[in-house]
Amino acid sequence: METSSEAAENLVLRLEGFEGPMDLLLDLARAQKVDLAKISILALVEQFLAVIEGARRVRLELAADWLVMAAWLTWLKSRLLVPALADDLEDGEMAAEALAERLREMNVVRTLAAWLAARPVLGQDVFARGAPEDHAEYDRSRILLEAGPFVRAYLMAIRRGTRSTHYAPRPPTLWTVQDALRRLGELVGSLPDWMTLETFLPGHLNNPTERRAALSSTLIASLEMARGGTVRLRQEEAFGPILLRQSGDDADKDA
Amino acid sequence: MSDEPEEKAPPPPRDPDDDALRLAEALIFSSAEPVSPRSLARVLPDDVDADAVLAALRLRYAGRGVELVDAGNGVMFRTALDLAPRLRRVIEVPRRLPRVAMETLAIVAYHQPVTRPEIEHIRGTALSQQTLDLLLELDLIAPKGRREGPGRPTLWGTTPAFLAHFGLKDLRELPRREDLLLETAPPKPSPEAIPADLSTPDAPNDDAG
Amino acid sequence: MSDEPEEKAPPPPRDPDDDALRLAEALIFSSAEPVSPRSLARVLPDDVDADAVLAALRLRYAGRGVELVDAGNGVMFRTALDLAPRLRRVIEVPRRLPRVAMETLAIVAYHQPVTRPEIEHIRGTALSQQTLDLLLELDLIAPKGRREGPGRPTLWGTTPAFLAHFGLKDLRELPRREDLLLETAPPKPSPEAIPADLSTPDAPNDDAG
């Protein structure tokens, strides 16, 4: 037995063409030329270990496998050589038999592998057409239109369309203070006398919420303008109507 | 058949023998690329002329189902031209329309004649030129004049080919909109109202390509 | 050689004429894979017997550089075996399958459908990813469903490419396991068959997991 020096490239240990624990074991068992159950397991183990020691370049996982096998053999040996109990002896024999069976099976596998390898292998010994021609013509021009997907697509499009308008930001319908300021600025000059705040609301409000919001905006705007001196405000009683007019020359100051 | 080139004295080129023909035949058959006379010469015995072998091989295959033809600076086997059509197998692989195209097509079908902005409005997103081109190329939609108005936008409608795809004689054979959109009233479609098989607005678009 | 098939009346199966031979030749020659009798029958005229055509074609190519052989469920052309040494000089040949892969393949061939732990148990060593990848890449083995049971492990079996690879017509062409068992001269009275589960619970090498 020898380790191949060319094994360096793939780190495969070659022992006269063998690799792996079962091979090795098979070979060792064969060399003994006896029933595995009867051979000296000790001798087997010793040969086995010698091989491992001799193998300098063992692939790590291979070595691990071997170690496992060595451990098993050692266990086998202990059971066969030092049978403390009858059960143990039986265990040992059974284990030896199981091992023998596996070796036999492995031998079958190896024989078949060799048989296969000896056949003319495509791409190795015989060669197929190197530049095959494909006579198939793939026609992808046709379109698959089905009523189901078609109708689903329509519904999906419609839904998405309506959903997007639903989610669109609503146009601001509330009358802002800015709006009120602008409107007051425009209207106040044209009004000769006291007018209620409501007069200054825009005309298009039909919703009560919008109307109330516009009223408060207008009030704030009017206060703002009163502070600036543009208008004057007046309220006759608590919660009474608020009156407004442009600040004029006459100085009735009762705001 | 001798595997070894004759290592003797007589160098006058031999006529290609059967061994040389077999080798050339096998090499050209198994090669993925055209075989040049030079590479053929590499496997032939030294005293055999590659060109002569190729000529003999060409003759042997003349009129057969497979013929030796020139390709690049070499030769290769190729199915005889007259047989190729008879060996041809057309495999139909129909495509599905992409989802966007399908939606656009459906909108055109139901709203025609319709302008591009209208399609975009209904789908709620922009319509790519690519999608429009695809439908045009497949002859599923076609321009149907222009709408009188600002910009005179093109109107789109479906084609007879569209009807043929669905095996319809008439657009009126399409499922009615009312049967699809059961709550034709304003937005908020209630899913319960749609027949189970149609009501998968959010389902993964299984009809996409 | 006439290029045209006879377009007459005769319905009794004809002897394969040159036209049928050419067609079959072209079809099989142009394929790198075995051509099934069904595909062949599809291109042949209805009244021509495909088997007769194949027999005639096989005869025509006997002894040539390229031969017609059975492979899996069909036939294919392959280069003649005796030319291999010279073809290998110019054709790039992939490395032969490593022994581990060959053994794994042999196990799968005999025990299919078989799980990875079972393969590992028989070989007594772990199946490396490399080996699995190699066999899969060469399309020599393929998954064949899962075994019902704990973990539902994947089952492996050989492929049609496996048959073509080794020039087999059928898995039944493999030597019988029983014959191989006898051949290997069992050290003990041979058990009927190797039990599927050789469980040796205490055995530390039960690394199949």
Side-chain angles (χ1 to χ4, degrees), chain B residues 30-59:
Chain B
S30 56
S31 176
E33 307 285 333
V35 173
S36 66
R38 248 187 71 216
S39 51
L40 176 59
R42 278 170 55 206
V43 295
L44 289 175
D46 289 341
D47 59 348
V48 174
D49 178 39
D51 286 325
V53 171
L54 288 181
L57 199 60
R58 199 184 299 262
L59 205 62

Side-chain angles (χ1 to χ4, degrees), chain B residues 175-188:
Chain B
R176 292 189 314 160
R177 276 195 76 207
E178 303 87 88
D179 292 339
L180 298 178
L181 298 163
L182 300 184
E183 64 309 277
T184 28
K188 296 263 174 84

Side-chain angles (χ1 to χ4, degrees), chain B residues 43-85:
Chain B
V43 295
L44 289 175
D46 289 341
D47 59 348
V48 174
D49 178 39
D51 286 325
V53 171
L54 288 181
L57 199 60
R58 199 184 299 262
L59 205 62
R60 184 190 259 191
Y61 276 86
R64 298 274 300 277
V66 171
E67 291 173 339
L68 198 62
V69 299
D70 293 315
N73 56 354
V75 295
M76 64 189 294
F77 281 120
R78 210 192 48 197
T79 303
L81 282 181
D82 66 303
L83 294 181

Side-chain angles (χ1 to χ4, degrees), chain B residues 3 19 22-23 25-27 29-30 42-43 60-61 63-66 77 79-80 82-83 86-87 89, chain C residues 1 3 19 22-23 25-26 29 42 60-61 63-66 77 79-80 82-83 86-87 89-91:
Chain B
D3 276 4
D19 180 63
R22 289 181 74 232
L23 191 57
E25 183 179 38
L27 177 65
F29 168 82
S30 56
R42 278 170 55 206
V43 295
R60 184 190 259 191
Y61 276 86
R64 298 274 300 277
V66 171
F77 281 120
T79 303
D82 66 303
L83 294 181
R86 296 168 64 189
L87 295 177
R89 239 171 348 127
Chain C
M1 266 165 243
D3 276 3
D19 179 64
R22 288 182 75 228
L23 264 178
E25 180 180 39
F29 208 95
R42 198 165 43 211
R60 184 187 258 189
Y61 276 86
R64 297 271 300 275
V66 171
F77 277 118
T79 59
D82 66 292
L83 298 174
R86 286 186 286 170
L87 289 178
R89 270 192 260 154
V90 280
I91 296 179

